[in-house]
Amino acid sequence: GAVVSQHPSWVICKSGTSVKIECRSLDFQATTMFWYRQFPKQSLMLMATSNEGSKATYEQGVEKDKFLINHASLTLSTLTVTSAHPEDSSFYICSASTSSNPNNEQFFGPGTRLTVL
Amino acid sequence: AQKVTQAQTEISVVEKEDVTLDCVYETRDTTYYLFWYKQPPSGELVFLIRRNSFDEQNEISGRYSWNFQKSTSSFNFTITASQVVDSAVYFCARGTGRRALTFGSGTRLQVQP
């Protein structure tokens, strides 16, 4: 089956620093990747949608200058949390889909747990 | 926004009991997909099932079964003879086309030995 990886699986950083999270589709070309955020004991909330080679589309309330998304290749999307603060501590999950899949399936990565001190 | 509602925040059962997790969704689309995911403490989402809106057949997979009722916009999930390993948070989700999924708030299931 299709595999999506995320790196790192967890990260701890100091307030004010930037953190980059990678999302990779290992055995298929991901034309679209989605970034979700999940706060403790809450549901997954969509942050942004990124299509390869295009600018990401952000959901209302998500600061595009703070959460930089790059989808420069068909197998890699990155989310950079700039000037991270404790309130950005969360579980970040990506999912990927491909236009060649007739079933429109999305495949989720294992998530990245970010803790900002 | 078209919501997905999981009214049960937390359910606690004793091992071997049957348990049903409810899911009600809103949609204005003719074609859509419904999903159930399991999220154990590790956090990784485990895919359980995907249902096309055109297919209302109920499905059974081992101890798991799903009841899809378009008339009531529900997609309920039943675990038969629950086990401790079933303890997790379960999410119902809805998707359309190539857009992101909309998740319910999740139901935390605790199965006591």
Side-chain angles (χ1 to χ4, degrees):
Chain A
V3 180
V4 175
S5 71
Q6 281 185 241
H7 178 80
S9 53
W10 60 270
V11 57
I12 301 173
C13 69
K14 291 183 179 179
S15 188
T17 60
S18 294
V19 174
K20 181 185 283 188
I21 301 170
E22 294 184 349
C23 176
R24 291 183 186 272
S25 56
L26 299 185
D27 50 4
F28 67 101
Q29 294 186 324
T31 46
T32 303
M33 285 185 171
F34 303 96
W35 286 95
Y36 297 83
R37 178 169 55 183
Q38 184 182 28
F39 291 110
K41 297 196 175 183
Q42 294 189 26
S43 185
L44 283 78
M45 298 300 292
L46 179 68
M47 298 176 67
T49 300
S50 81
N51 293 299
E52 186 265 339
S54 304
K55 286 186 179 180
T57 303
Y58 291 80
E59 294 300 298
Q60 196 171 11
V62 178
E63 301 173 55
K64 62 180 181 181
D65 294 330
K66 180 173 181 61
F67 298 98
L68 302 179
I69 291 173
N70 184 287
H71 191 169
S73 80
L74 284 171
T75 58
L76 174 64
S77 176
T78 60
L79 167 67
T80 302
V81 184
T82 61
S83 187
H85 289 285
E87 57 266 30
D88 299 322
S89 298
S90 187
F91 192 54
Y92 292 86
I93 305 175
C94 71
S95 72
S97 68
T98 174
S99 58
S100 62
N101 186 319
N103 295 322
N104 298 332
E105 291 176 272
Q106 295 181 23
F107 304 96
F108 284 84
T112 296
R113 197 166 300 280
L114 169 64
T115 301
V116 184
L117 302 177
Chain B
Q2 300 177 66
K3 293 180 185 175
V4 176
T5 301
Q6 294 179 254
Q8 303 148 309
T9 306
E10 190 160 340
I11 301 175
S12 182
V13 299
V14 176
E15 213 171 13
K16 297 184 183 175
E17 283 186 24
D18 298 347
V19 58
T20 295
L21 283 62
D22 299 331
C23 174
V24 175
Y25 62 92
E26 297 175 359
T27 187
R28 293 186 291 272
D29 300 299
T30 305
T31 303
Y32 52 92
Y33 303 91
L34 298 169
F35 303 80
W36 274 96
Y37 289 90
K38 175 181 180 179
Q39 188 177 44
S42 65
E44 183 165 359
L45 288 178
V46 177
F47 169 82
L48 296 178
I49 190 170
R50 175 179 182 271
R51 214 76 183 125
N52 184 307
S53 56
F54 294 136
D55 183 0
E56 274 194 85
Q57 274 195 335
N58 293 328
E59 180 152 341
I60 298 175
S61 176
R63 295 185 297 107
Y64 296 169
S65 62
W66 291 269
N67 184 286
F68 179 22
Q69 299 277 346
K70 281 180 81 170
S71 59
T72 55
S73 297
S74 65
F75 187 44
N76 297 337
F77 171 35
T78 298
I79 302 175
T80 303
S82 58
Q83 299 176 3
V84 173
V85 293
D86 296 328
S87 297
V89 180
Y90 291 85
F91 288 99
C92 178
R94 176 196 164 285
T96 304
R98 302 191 187 285
R99 290 182 238 148
L101 302 187
T102 299
F103 286 83
S105 54
T107 297
R108 182 175 300 274
L109 174 65
Q110 292 193 355
V111 182
Q112 311 286 351

